[in-house]
């Protein structure tokens, strides 16, 4: 489910507007297609990288749907304003073209500017600036700034906000729901439910090796975590494809705990054959929320992979899973 080419779109015209009264102006770029458009809004921040987000305006004032991408530094969009444009967030384009929602995505600071055709490899291929800056806290702060700005738009209904977090993005979706009461609904797709450390432990137990092999793997995980926690701010040392700084900040987060501190309705979708995040992590989150009386829906996709894809299905089948999320959101 890597880059999705926007081949159905005609050549886009681009317009740029800015606030002339500010030394570092807010910048707005509009990319117009045949029946819809994408706006890119860039917000300067003193002493910090600018916050840049995309929003496809609805036809009338409408709820907002924010997609939060998974790990790595691949941009949500690349090549806008050119003939070689693409989107890396699978369900964004179809939902935006319908015009019934304000559809939003946010750039990670210092992300890769161009298109990446290969499979993502954690942060090993990201820039030094990206890895130096990136952590759970800095990414959450970026998302909060972008979402707060978008909610002030006259075409957005701030009382109806859905955050869809995919993979690592689910950890941030839960954190946003805790940090921002405006988030009324959260959907987590292929996301950790307890902690990412639990995910690794559960994956080890689900492996096919002997108990002795699993014990060695568990000991290696513990040794690596010990090294990370001894240097939690290191941006030069890597484990499992990411910096120690990234891991120390994410390992401390529990999506289930954060959602319990929010008022958001929760939708969980997990592939039953997910090899990246074991469905047991989602099940543990579901059980915790369910028995605390929360409004939570759990969808288990038989044969589904990390991105909900099945051998018998395809992109259309995955799109149906995202359509179900939208119907759930609209149902209240």
């Amino acid at each position: 489910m890597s880059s999705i080419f926007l081949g159905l779109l005609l050549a886009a015209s681009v317009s740029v507007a800015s606030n002339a009264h500010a030394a570092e102006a807010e910048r707005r770029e509009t990319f117009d297609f045949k029946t819809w458009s994408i706006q890119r809004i860039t917000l300067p921040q003193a002493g910090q990288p600018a916050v840049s987000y995309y929003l496809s305006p609805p036809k009338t004032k409408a709820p907002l749907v924010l997609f939060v991408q998974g790990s790595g530094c691949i941009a949500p969009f690349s090549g806008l304003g050119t003939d070689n444009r693409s989107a890396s967030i699978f369900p964004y384009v179809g939902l935006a073209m319908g015009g019934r929602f304000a559809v939003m995505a946010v750039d990670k600071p210092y992300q890769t500017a161009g298109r990446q055709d290969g499979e993502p490899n954690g942060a090993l291929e990201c820039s030094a600036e990206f890895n130096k800056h990136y952590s759970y806290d800095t990414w959450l702060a970026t998302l909060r700034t972008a979402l707060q700005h978008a909610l002030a738009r006259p075409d957005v209904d701030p009382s109806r906000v859905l955050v869809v977090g995919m993979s690592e993005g689910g950890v941030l979706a839960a954190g946003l729901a805790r940090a921002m009461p405006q988030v009324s609904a959260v959907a987590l797709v292929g996301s950790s439910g307890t902690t990412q450390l639990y995910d690794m432990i559960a994956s080890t137990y689900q492996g096919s090796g002997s108990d002795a092999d699993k014990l060695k793997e568990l000991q290696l995980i513990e040794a690596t975590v010990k090294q990370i926690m001894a240097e939690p701010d290191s941006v030069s040392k890597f484990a499992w494809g990411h910096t120690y700084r990234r891991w120390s900040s994410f390992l401390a987060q529990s999506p289930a705990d954060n959602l319990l501190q929010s008022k958001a309705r929760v939708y969980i979708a997990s592939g039953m054959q997910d090899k990246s995040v074991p469905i047991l992590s989602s099940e543990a989150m579901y059980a915790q929320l369910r028995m605390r009386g929360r409004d939570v829906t759990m969808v288990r996709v038989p044969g589904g992979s990390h991105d909900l894809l099945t051998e018998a299905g395809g992109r259309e089948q995955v799109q149906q899973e995202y359509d179900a999320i939208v119907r759930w959101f609209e149902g209240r």
Side-chain angles (χ1 to χ4, degrees):
M1 307 301 293
S2 56
S3 294
I4 301 164
F5 300 108
L6 309 185
L8 297 177
L9 305 178
L10 300 182
S13 61
V14 184
S15 61
V16 180
S18 63
N19 180 357
H21 299 290
E24 292 187 35
E26 172 186 315
R27 179 180 174 90
R28 291 175 180 262
E29 302 162 271
T30 300
F31 304 90
D32 288 314
F33 305 108
K34 185 176 180 180
T35 60
W36 66 294
S37 65
I38 295 176
Q39 295 178 356
R40 180 165 59 200
I41 297 94
T42 303
L43 310 173
Q45 294 194 117
Q48 295 290 329
V51 171
S52 177
Y53 72 89
Y54 306 86
L55 192 140
S56 183
K59 295 177 180 178
T60 60
K61 187 171 184 176
L64 183 143
V65 179
L66 166 61
F67 289 103
V68 184
Q69 62 269 40
S71 62
C73 54
I74 300 175
F77 294 97
S78 64
L80 287 177
T82 75
D83 292 332
N84 191 30
R85 52 196 176 273
S86 64
S88 63
I89 296 178
F90 173 72
Y92 185 105
V93 174
L95 190 62
M97 291 177 71
R100 295 187 297 114
F101 300 93
V103 187
M104 182 178 175
V106 184
D107 282 336
K108 292 181 178 180
Y110 306 114
Q111 67 189 11
T112 301
R115 192 178 106 203
Q116 181 173 325
D117 294 323
E119 291 298 320
N121 188 23
L124 295 175
E125 298 176 1
C126 299
S127 68
E129 291 83 1
F130 177 91
N131 285 321
K132 182 178 179 181
H133 179 80
Y134 189 70
S135 70
Y136 172 85
D137 300 295
T138 58
W139 184 210
L140 180 66
T142 298
L143 289 165
R144 288 185 67 178
T145 298
L147 183 54
Q148 286 170 342
H149 190 270
L151 291 178
R153 294 172 57 107
D155 55 359
V156 168
D157 178 358
S159 69
R160 299 291 307 281
V161 178
L162 167 64
V163 180
V164 182
M166 297 167 285
S167 189
E168 179 194 273
V171 181
L172 276 303
L176 270 177
R178 178 176 182 171
M180 298 184 66
Q182 299 97 320
V183 176
S184 56
V186 171
L188 299 95
V189 178
S191 170
S192 175
T194 53
T195 67
Q196 292 186 336
L197 176 56
Y198 175 84
D199 298 345
M200 289 183 274
I201 293 171
S203 292
T204 300
Y205 277 101
Q206 289 183 314
S208 59
S210 67
D211 283 356
D213 291 335
K214 292 175 182 178
L215 183 59
K216 289 180 181 178
E217 182 63 27
L218 292 169
Q219 291 170 340
L220 180 59
I221 291 171
E222 175 57 31
T224 303
V225 170
K226 184 176 180 179
Q227 292 172 349
I228 292 170
M229 300 314 295
E231 299 182 72
D233 293 323
S234 175
V235 295
S236 61
K237 293 186 177 181
F238 286 73
W240 303 306
H242 297 278
T243 66
Y244 282 16
R245 182 170 188 253
R246 184 269 181 202
W247 277 117
S248 66
S249 63
F250 272 85
L251 289 173
Q253 297 300 317
S254 166
D257 289 347
N258 283 334
L259 288 171
L260 284 170
Q261 299 298 318
S262 79
K263 296 182 179 180
R265 300 165 56 215
V266 180
Y267 186 105
I268 305 166
S270 294
M272 295 179 73
Q273 297 300 320
D274 190 338
K275 303 302 182 185
S276 298
V277 179
I279 193 172
L280 288 178
S281 185
S282 297
E283 294 285 12
M285 173 170 55
Y286 167 73
Q288 188 173 359
L289 294 172
R290 181 72 178 84
M291 298 315 296
R292 298 286 187 91
R294 296 298 300 274
D295 185 341
V296 55
T297 298
M298 178 76 188
V299 174
R300 306 163 179 90
V301 181
S305 64
H306 185 52
D307 54 13
L308 309 183
L309 186 67
T310 65
E311 288 187 7
R315 187 170 296 169
E316 181 179 351
Q317 170 253 321
V318 176
Q319 184 61 59
Q320 291 174 356
E321 300 295 344
Y322 282 99
D323 291 344
I325 293 173
V326 174
R327 289 195 300 271
W328 166 82
F329 176 53
E330 288 185 294
R332 183 174 304 178

